[in-house]
Amino acid sequence: MSEENKKIEDQVWDPASVEILAKAETDCVDTCFSRMDTQKNQCKFGTSGICCRICHMGPCRITKKSPLGVCGANADTIVARNYLREVVGGTAAHSDHGRHLVLRLKKVAEGKGGGYQIKDEMALRRIAKDFKIEEEGRTKEKVALDLANLLLGEFTSQEEKLKTLSLAPLMQQNIWKYHNILPVGIDRLIVEAMHRTHIGVDHDYKNLLMSAFRTSLVDGWGGSRIATLVSDILFGTPSPVRSNANLGVLSEKTPNILVHGHEPELSEMLAVAVNDPEIKEYVKAAGADGVTLSGICCTANEILMRHGIPIAGSFLQQELAVITGAVEMMIIDVQCCMPSLPKVAKSYHTEIVSTTEIAKTIGATHVRFETNDALRSAKELVKRAIDNYKNRDPEKVSIPSANSPLIGGFSVNAIKYMLGGTFRPSFRPLNDAIIADRIKGIVGIVGCTNPKSKVDAYINILTLELIKRNVLVLKTGCAAVSSAKEGMMTPETALEKAGKGLREVCEAIGIPPILHMGSCVDNTRILEAATEIVFEGGLGEGISQVPAVGVAPEWMSEKAIAIGCYFVASGIDVILGYPFHISGSENVTRFLNEETKKLFGGSFHNVPDPHDAVDKIMELLHNKREKLGINKKAERKLFDMKDRREL
Ligand code: XCC
Ligand code: SF4
């Protein structure tokens, strides 16, 4: 193996990415991996959170010699303020996504849906009931209109607490009430957090951090939850579906269209458009047998969950997908779409198309996606991609063969049906398996990938070691894609690696031990699953008592910080593969990593090594089980250090 390839193998785990990164070097194309190299020695003030540029007396940096900013702010204030602003960024991203979907639901209810419909009436009626909306004997449009108005009120309410909080166990609601962080309207809290981080407002680090948790709650139980609920109504509640993942899903023989970003409105219509008879004719005339649609990032997860459309890759494969030379068009919307894409695309024939007014990129073609005439708009994009097919240069094409089968589509509803059967959907069998110690607990592995360390390595090592130890793993976002690419999301491959108890339970139910639960906003499905476990009984009164842990092994985005916060505020311990930018304040660090445990029942833990993370997780699960009195007496020796796999 060449020196170069060796270096690449230290950067990425999966062979398809290794192959394409080598091609990038041959083609002289920059990627985030080469740029990570040039960004080495990142600013220490930034990484420790003690750079403040909130006003123009600054920027101020805290050092031993200058422990206060010009205004007198100390490290605690600056670190906490920066942290809160990150949580706000993440919450805003998820919530704005949720808002667009509610507005769409409202238009659909009013008969102005622009081609969208209520696909899952049962979900609509189920959700309406949860919010005490009269549904019996009423048309689905009327029910949808009431629900849409109620959910829009979640964004605008000023003094009324969020209604979606009622979906949480009472114990959590009481904890939030006790600590005075019951959130009101989503928009108000986001505005308020920006206000209190302005110069000269909130300087008490604890007060700022409690605001971070309160803000995150409007994400997890508000904006994100709303996004998931409404997506299920409009596009269908996911149920298990087979598909494939990795760059090998791209086709050498047809035009390839990639959807990338987060909002499912566009990708849903593209999924319809590629099968439209008019498009089939059109592509035939261009000399191909069809169009291959696949996805990157969470848009991929959305259309995988509902249509079984394959995943081409996760966040750090967006540039690599273009470098295959086989992509006619990459359609981007919001979040996690790199500004480098048009530059990468210049070396090939790929057209990068941005579609929304709030997300434009220099060098991309901007084609506004008309949601009010969605199918026509989607078909135009597809035709444009087909027109570009003739420009593909076969000399530049190299598609890796990696293409792993997977099963996705595990909504909580689907899991409930699988566990309990069609007539009595229920979480009982899962609770019983946890109580009987066949399953140790559930762990949500979520979040991004990050070129700071070998991509997918932490996620995949951790996942494997956990299922070996009888832990049921729930996955979303790019962390789900890591497992999918590894071929670990089918019962056939994963069950033989699982521990005996977990294997038997999964075999009996017919599920893999690693469940793909969707996109980033679908992290709320993990909260929903934990809530179902509580409601089912026998495993505590609240989420904080359930043997459950969250992990963000290779996270990078503000959204991941918000997710971490709402997990902790909901009582779930969260393991981070990379620390937050808070080390400049001991007080903030102690608050987030220790004191929150007393407040909520869960806290953050920095664990940079996946094997150490396994140990920590097993310890946390053990402790929760101990409190529930469901540990076997002889079970003190928890972890097995053998067969560590090197990074
Ligand atoms: Fe983005 Fe949602 Fe992170 Fe992936 S996981 S890199 S945020 S796409 Ni949510
Ligand atoms: Fe400096 Fe204070 Fe202004 Fe921040 S708010 S930049 S610490 S003067």
Side-chain angles (χ1 to χ4, degrees), residues 529-566:
T531 307
E532 285 290 340
I533 290 175
V534 172
F535 290 165
E536 192 55 55
L539 286 171
E541 300 286 302
I543 296 176
S544 46
Q545 295 175 338
V546 173
V549 176
V551 198
E554 303 179 33
W555 71 278
M556 61 86 203
S557 70
E558 290 174 328
K559 291 183 288 170
I561 304 182
I563 294 164
C565 278
Y566 72 64

mmCIF file of all heavy atoms in Angstrom, residues 529-566:
data_model
loop_
_atom_site.group_PDB
_atom_site.id
_atom_site.type_symbol
_atom_site.label_atom_id
_atom_site.label_comp_id
_atom_site.label_asym_id
_atom_site.label_seq_id
_atom_site.Cartn_x
_atom_site.Cartn_y
_atom_site.Cartn_z
ATOM 1 N N ALA A 529 -39.311 6.676 22.498
ATOM 2 C CA ALA A 529 -39.134 5.268 22.883
ATOM 3 C C ALA A 529 -38.906 5.165 24.390
ATOM 4 O O ALA A 529 -39.497 4.314 25.066
ATOM 5 C CB ALA A 529 -37.964 4.648 22.119
ATOM 6 N N ALA A 530 -38.066 6.059 24.918
ATOM 7 C CA ALA A 530 -37.807 6.035 26.364
ATOM 8 C C ALA A 530 -39.102 6.302 27.139
ATOM 9 O O ALA A 530 -39.365 5.694 28.180
ATOM 10 C CB ALA A 530 -36.746 7.065 26.721
ATOM 11 N N THR A 531 -39.918 7.210 26.599
ATOM 12 C CA THR A 531 -41.198 7.526 27.249
ATOM 13 C C THR A 531 -42.132 6.315 27.226
ATOM 14 O O THR A 531 -42.797 5.996 28.216
ATOM 15 C CB THR A 531 -41.869 8.724 26.536
ATOM 16 O OG1 THR A 531 -40.922 9.789 26.474
ATOM 17 C CG2 THR A 531 -43.104 9.188 27.275
ATOM 18 N N GLU A 532 -42.163 5.621 26.090
ATOM 19 C CA GLU A 532 -43.002 4.411 25.985
ATOM 20 C C GLU A 532 -42.572 3.381 27.026
ATOM 21 O O GLU A 532 -43.406 2.697 27.613
ATOM 22 C CB GLU A 532 -42.870 3.785 24.586
ATOM 23 C CG GLU A 532 -43.599 4.537 23.493
ATOM 24 C CD GLU A 532 -45.124 4.441 23.598
ATOM 25 O OE1 GLU A 532 -45.626 3.512 24.259
ATOM 26 O OE2 GLU A 532 -45.798 5.317 23.019
ATOM 27 N N ILE A 533 -41.260 3.275 27.219
ATOM 28 C CA ILE A 533 -40.753 2.315 28.214
ATOM 29 C C ILE A 533 -41.275 2.694 29.602
ATOM 30 O O ILE A 533 -41.717 1.836 30.368
ATOM 31 C CB ILE A 533 -39.203 2.273 28.174
ATOM 32 C CG1 ILE A 533 -38.738 1.610 26.869
ATOM 33 C CG2 ILE A 533 -38.640 1.520 29.377
ATOM 34 C CD1 ILE A 533 -37.243 1.603 26.655
ATOM 35 N N VAL A 534 -41.251 3.993 29.892
ATOM 36 C CA VAL A 534 -41.765 4.458 31.187
ATOM 37 C C VAL A 534 -43.262 4.130 31.309
ATOM 38 O O VAL A 534 -43.711 3.544 32.299
ATOM 39 C CB VAL A 534 -41.553 5.984 31.344
ATOM 40 C CG1 VAL A 534 -42.268 6.507 32.592
ATOM 41 C CG2 VAL A 534 -40.069 6.306 31.413
ATOM 42 N N PHE A 535 -44.011 4.486 30.270
ATOM 43 C CA PHE A 535 -45.465 4.273 30.316
ATOM 44 C C PHE A 535 -45.817 2.788 30.431
ATOM 45 O O PHE A 535 -46.822 2.423 31.013
ATOM 46 C CB PHE A 535 -46.150 4.871 29.075
ATOM 47 C CG PHE A 535 -46.151 6.383 29.059
ATOM 48 C CD1 PHE A 535 -46.440 7.087 27.894
ATOM 49 C CD2 PHE A 535 -45.863 7.112 30.211
ATOM 50 C CE1 PHE A 535 -46.442 8.486 27.874
ATOM 51 C CE2 PHE A 535 -45.857 8.506 30.207
ATOM 52 C CZ PHE A 535 -46.150 9.190 29.036
ATOM 53 N N GLU A 536 -44.982 1.957 29.852
ATOM 54 C CA GLU A 536 -45.265 0.520 29.873
ATOM 55 C C GLU A 536 -45.158 -0.031 31.298
ATOM 56 O O GLU A 536 -45.837 -0.980 31.673
ATOM 57 C CB GLU A 536 -44.297 -0.207 28.929
ATOM 58 C CG GLU A 536 -44.638 -1.634 28.633
ATOM 59 C CD GLU A 536 -46.058 -1.811 28.075
ATOM 60 O OE1 GLU A 536 -46.387 -1.162 27.066
ATOM 61 O OE2 GLU A 536 -46.815 -2.613 28.654
ATOM 62 N N GLY A 537 -44.273 0.565 32.083
ATOM 63 C CA GLY A 537 -44.200 0.199 33.499
ATOM 64 C C GLY A 537 -43.115 -0.798 33.846
ATOM 65 O O GLY A 537 -42.679 -1.594 33.013
ATOM 66 N N GLY A 538 -42.648 -0.687 35.067
ATOM 67 C CA GLY A 538 -41.659 -1.635 35.581
ATOM 68 C C GLY A 538 -40.232 -1.138 35.498
ATOM 69 O O GLY A 538 -39.315 -1.759 36.023
ATOM 70 N N LEU A 539 -40.025 -0.020 34.820
ATOM 71 C CA LEU A 539 -38.657 0.479 34.685
ATOM 72 C C LEU A 539 -38.562 1.944 35.113
ATOM 73 O O LEU A 539 -37.849 2.744 34.507
ATOM 74 C CB LEU A 539 -38.163 0.293 33.245
ATOM 75 C CG LEU A 539 -37.823 -1.149 32.857
ATOM 76 C CD1 LEU A 539 -37.554 -1.275 31.368
ATOM 77 C CD2 LEU A 539 -36.625 -1.679 33.636
ATOM 78 N N GLY A 540 -39.277 2.264 36.155
ATOM 79 C CA GLY A 540 -39.163 3.616 36.707
ATOM 80 C C GLY A 540 -40.321 4.513 36.318
ATOM 81 O O GLY A 540 -41.118 4.201 35.446
ATOM 82 N N GLU A 541 -40.322 5.649 37.002
ATOM 83 C CA GLU A 541 -41.419 6.605 36.819
ATOM 84 C C GLU A 541 -41.100 7.640 35.749
ATOM 85 O O GLU A 541 -41.977 8.348 35.285
ATOM 86 C CB GLU A 541 -41.634 7.376 38.132
ATOM 87 C CG GLU A 541 -41.984 6.517 39.325
ATOM 88 C CD GLU A 541 -43.410 6.024 39.228
ATOM 89 O OE1 GLU A 541 -44.307 6.872 39.150
ATOM 90 O OE2 GLU A 541 -43.611 4.793 39.183
ATOM 91 N N GLY A 542 -39.823 7.760 35.467
ATOM 92 C CA GLY A 542 -39.421 8.796 34.513
ATOM 93 C C GLY A 542 -38.273 8.323 33.643
ATOM 94 O O GLY A 542 -37.651 7.289 33.917
ATOM 95 N N ILE A 543 -37.987 9.117 32.597
ATOM 96 C CA ILE A 543 -36.923 8.749 31.663
ATOM 97 C C ILE A 543 -35.586 8.628 32.395
ATOM 98 O O ILE A 543 -34.764 7.766 32.081
ATOM 99 C CB ILE A 543 -36.824 9.815 30.540
ATOM 100 C CG1 ILE A 543 -38.117 9.823 29.714
ATOM 101 C CG2 ILE A 543 -35.636 9.549 29.628
ATOM 102 C CD1 ILE A 543 -38.157 10.889 28.641
ATOM 103 N N SER A 544 -35.391 9.471 33.400
ATOM 104 C CA SER A 544 -34.111 9.456 34.116
ATOM 105 C C SER A 544 -33.862 8.153 34.860
ATOM 106 O O SER A 544 -32.743 7.880 35.275
ATOM 107 C CB SER A 544 -34.046 10.629 35.091
ATOM 108 O OG SER A 544 -35.252 10.722 35.820
ATOM 109 N N GLN A 545 -34.888 7.332 35.016
ATOM 110 C CA GLN A 545 -34.681 6.062 35.723
ATOM 111 C C GLN A 545 -34.498 4.882 34.770
ATOM 112 O O GLN A 545 -34.050 3.812 35.173
ATOM 113 C CB GLN A 545 -35.872 5.805 36.652
ATOM 114 C CG GLN A 545 -35.938 6.849 37.761
ATOM 115 C CD GLN A 545 -37.161 6.706 38.638
ATOM 116 O OE1 GLN A 545 -38.167 6.125 38.240
ATOM 117 N NE2 GLN A 545 -37.080 7.251 39.840
ATOM 118 N N VAL A 546 -34.817 5.092 33.518
ATOM 119 C CA VAL A 546 -34.704 4.008 32.530
ATOM 120 C C VAL A 546 -33.221 3.747 32.232
ATOM 121 O O VAL A 546 -32.450 4.697 32.106
ATOM 122 C CB VAL A 546 -35.429 4.424 31.222
ATOM 123 C CG1 VAL A 546 -35.199 3.411 30.104
ATOM 124 C CG2 VAL A 546 -36.917 4.610 31.470
ATOM 125 N N PRO A 547 -32.801 2.485 32.138
ATOM 126 C CA PRO A 547 -31.413 2.228 31.755
ATOM 127 C C PRO A 547 -31.202 2.614 30.284
ATOM 128 O O PRO A 547 -31.366 1.795 29.376
ATOM 129 C CB PRO A 547 -31.242 0.716 31.953
ATOM 130 C CG PRO A 547 -32.470 0.253 32.663
ATOM 131 C CD PRO A 547 -33.547 1.255 32.412
ATOM 132 N N ALA A 548 -30.882 3.891 30.099
ATOM 133 C CA ALA A 548 -30.709 4.417 28.742
ATOM 134 C C ALA A 548 -29.582 5.440 28.756
ATOM 135 O O ALA A 548 -29.421 6.175 29.732
ATOM 136 C CB ALA A 548 -31.999 5.079 28.266
ATOM 137 N N VAL A 549 -28.795 5.460 27.696
ATOM 138 C CA VAL A 549 -27.693 6.420 27.580
ATOM 139 C C VAL A 549 -27.701 6.963 26.153
ATOM 140 O O VAL A 549 -28.076 6.256 25.213
ATOM 141 C CB VAL A 549 -26.327 5.726 27.878
ATOM 142 C CG1 VAL A 549 -25.162 6.689 27.655
ATOM 143 C CG2 VAL A 549 -26.278 5.191 29.308
ATOM 144 N N GLY A 550 -27.299 8.228 25.997
ATOM 145 C CA GLY A 550 -27.138 8.805 24.657
ATOM 146 C C GLY A 550 -25.657 9.008 24.376
ATOM 147 O O GLY A 550 -24.889 9.304 25.285
ATOM 148 N N VAL A 551 -25.255 8.826 23.132
ATOM 149 C CA VAL A 551 -23.850 9.048 22.772
ATOM 150 C C VAL A 551 -23.781 9.846 21.481
ATOM 151 O O VAL A 551 -24.462 9.526 20.507
ATOM 152 C CB VAL A 551 -23.089 7.716 22.526
ATOM 153 C CG1 VAL A 551 -21.581 7.941 22.607
ATOM 154 C CG2 VAL A 551 -23.519 6.630 23.472
ATOM 155 N N ALA A 552 -22.941 10.887 21.483
ATOM 156 C CA ALA A 552 -22.643 11.610 20.244
ATOM 157 C C ALA A 552 -21.147 11.455 20.016
ATOM 158 O O ALA A 552 -20.356 12.289 20.432
ATOM 159 C CB ALA A 552 -23.046 13.070 20.384
ATOM 160 N N PRO A 553 -20.756 10.367 19.357
ATOM 161 C CA PRO A 553 -19.328 10.031 19.297
ATOM 162 C C PRO A 553 -18.511 10.997 18.446
ATOM 163 O O PRO A 553 -17.426 11.390 18.823
ATOM 164 C CB PRO A 553 -19.313 8.636 18.671
ATOM 165 C CG PRO A 553 -20.704 8.120 18.792
ATOM 166 C CD PRO A 553 -21.590 9.323 18.767
ATOM 167 N N GLU A 554 -19.025 11.369 17.290
ATOM 168 C CA GLU A 554 -18.203 12.139 16.354
ATOM 169 C C GLU A 554 -18.929 13.427 15.966
ATOM 170 O O GLU A 554 -18.871 13.864 14.825
ATOM 171 C CB GLU A 554 -17.886 11.264 15.120
ATOM 172 C CG GLU A 554 -17.191 9.955 15.478
ATOM 173 C CD GLU A 554 -16.884 9.065 14.283
ATOM 174 O OE1 GLU A 554 -16.614 9.589 13.182
ATOM 175 O OE2 GLU A 554 -16.910 7.824 14.447
ATOM 176 N N TRP A 555 -19.585 14.028 16.923
ATOM 177 C CA TRP A 555 -20.452 15.171 16.648
ATOM 178 C C TRP A 555 -19.646 16.388 16.204
ATOM 179 O O TRP A 555 -18.461 16.495 16.479
ATOM 180 C CB TRP A 555 -21.269 15.517 17.883
ATOM 181 C CG TRP A 555 -20.456 16.123 19.004
ATOM 182 C CD1 TRP A 555 -19.705 15.458 19.929
ATOM 183 C CD2 TRP A 555 -20.300 17.510 19.282
ATOM 184 N NE1 TRP A 555 -19.096 16.344 20.762
ATOM 185 C CE2 TRP A 555 -19.436 17.625 20.395
ATOM 186 C CE3 TRP A 555 -20.799 18.680 18.711
ATOM 187 C CZ2 TRP A 555 -19.074 18.851 20.946
ATOM 188 C CZ3 TRP A 555 -20.438 19.901 19.261
ATOM 189 C CH2 TRP A 555 -19.578 19.979 20.367
ATOM 190 N N MET A 556 -20.329 17.323 15.530
ATOM 191 C CA MET A 556 -19.653 18.568 15.164
ATOM 192 C C MET A 556 -20.607 19.774 15.150
ATOM 193 O O MET A 556 -20.161 20.904 15.231
ATOM 194 C CB MET A 556 -18.932 18.439 13.808
ATOM 195 C CG MET A 556 -19.812 18.139 12.602
ATOM 196 S SD MET A 556 -20.507 19.623 11.870
ATOM 197 C CE MET A 556 -21.940 18.976 11.036
ATOM 198 N N SER A 557 -21.902 19.591 15.057
ATOM 199 C CA SER A 557 -22.767 20.743 14.778
ATOM 200 C C SER A 557 -23.397 21.326 16.046
ATOM 201 O O SER A 557 -23.445 20.684 17.093
ATOM 202 C CB SER A 557 -23.889 20.319 13.829
ATOM 203 O OG SER A 557 -24.783 19.470 14.518
ATOM 204 N N GLU A 558 -23.894 22.551 15.926
ATOM 205 C CA GLU A 558 -24.634 23.168 17.034
ATOM 206 C C GLU A 558 -25.890 22.364 17.346
ATOM 207 O O GLU A 558 -26.329 22.287 18.488
ATOM 208 C CB GLU A 558 -25.030 24.610 16.661
ATOM 209 C CG GLU A 558 -23.858 25.574 16.601
ATOM 210 C CD GLU A 558 -24.260 26.949 16.084
ATOM 211 O OE1 GLU A 558 -25.177 27.045 15.241
ATOM 212 O OE2 GLU A 558 -23.649 27.942 16.519
ATOM 213 N N LYS A 559 -26.446 21.764 16.299
ATOM 214 C CA LYS A 559 -27.649 20.950 16.519
ATOM 215 C C LYS A 559 -27.332 19.804 17.484
ATOM 216 O O LYS A 559 -28.146 19.456 18.337
ATOM 217 C CB LYS A 559 -28.154 20.373 15.191
ATOM 218 C CG LYS A 559 -28.713 21.415 14.263
ATOM 219 C CD LYS A 559 -29.269 20.779 13.000
ATOM 220 C CE LYS A 559 -28.172 20.280 12.110
ATOM 221 N NZ LYS A 559 -28.662 19.461 10.998
ATOM 222 N N ALA A 560 -26.138 19.238 17.333
ATOM 223 C CA ALA A 560 -25.761 18.129 18.214
ATOM 224 C C ALA A 560 -25.677 18.610 19.664
ATOM 225 O O ALA A 560 -26.015 17.871 20.594
ATOM 226 C CB ALA A 560 -24.430 17.531 17.767
ATOM 227 N N ILE A 561 -25.254 19.859 19.869
ATOM 228 C CA ILE A 561 -25.175 20.391 21.235
ATOM 229 C C ILE A 561 -26.583 20.526 21.815
ATOM 230 O O ILE A 561 -26.836 20.140 22.961
ATOM 231 C CB ILE A 561 -24.447 21.756 21.254
ATOM 232 C CG1 ILE A 561 -23.060 21.610 20.627
ATOM 233 C CG2 ILE A 561 -24.353 22.286 22.685
ATOM 234 C CD1 ILE A 561 -22.234 22.884 20.627
ATOM 235 N N ALA A 562 -27.492 21.049 20.990
ATOM 236 C CA ALA A 562 -28.872 21.183 21.460
ATOM 237 C C ALA A 562 -29.458 19.807 21.795
ATOM 238 O O ALA A 562 -30.136 19.632 22.818
ATOM 239 C CB ALA A 562 -29.718 21.889 20.402
ATOM 240 N N ILE A 563 -29.177 18.835 20.950
ATOM 241 C CA ILE A 563 -29.693 17.479 21.189
ATOM 242 C C ILE A 563 -29.127 16.931 22.501
ATOM 243 O O ILE A 563 -29.857 16.398 23.341
ATOM 244 C CB ILE A 563 -29.337 16.535 20.008
ATOM 245 C CG1 ILE A 563 -30.071 16.968 18.737
ATOM 246 C CG2 ILE A 563 -29.681 15.080 20.354
ATOM 247 C CD1 ILE A 563 -29.512 16.359 17.455
ATOM 248 N N GLY A 564 -27.811 17.093 22.678
ATOM 249 C CA GLY A 564 -27.179 16.635 23.923
ATOM 250 C C GLY A 564 -27.869 17.259 25.123
ATOM 251 O O GLY A 564 -28.166 16.583 26.110
ATOM 252 N N CYS A 565 -28.140 18.557 25.023
ATOM 253 C CA CYS A 565 -28.771 19.261 26.151
ATOM 254 C C CYS A 565 -30.176 18.742 26.433
ATOM 255 O O CYS A 565 -30.551 18.566 27.589
ATOM 256 C CB CYS A 565 -28.828 20.759 25.866
ATOM 257 S SG CYS A 565 -27.296 21.590 26.242
ATOM 258 N N TYR A 566 -30.965 18.502 25.386
ATOM 259 C CA TYR A 566 -32.327 18.051 25.720
ATOM 260 C C TYR A 566 -32.347 16.599 26.183
ATOM 261 O O TYR A 566 -33.238 16.197 26.917
ATOM 262 C CB TYR A 566 -33.363 18.387 24.635
ATOM 263 C CG TYR A 566 -33.365 17.645 23.312
ATOM 264 C CD1 TYR A 566 -33.627 16.287 23.233
ATOM 265 C CD2 TYR A 566 -33.178 18.339 22.120
ATOM 266 C CE1 TYR A 566 -33.671 15.629 22.012
ATOM 267 C CE2 TYR A 566 -33.217 17.696 20.889
ATOM 268 C CZ TYR A 566 -33.465 16.341 20.836
ATOM 269 O OH TYR A 566 -33.506 15.699 19.623
#
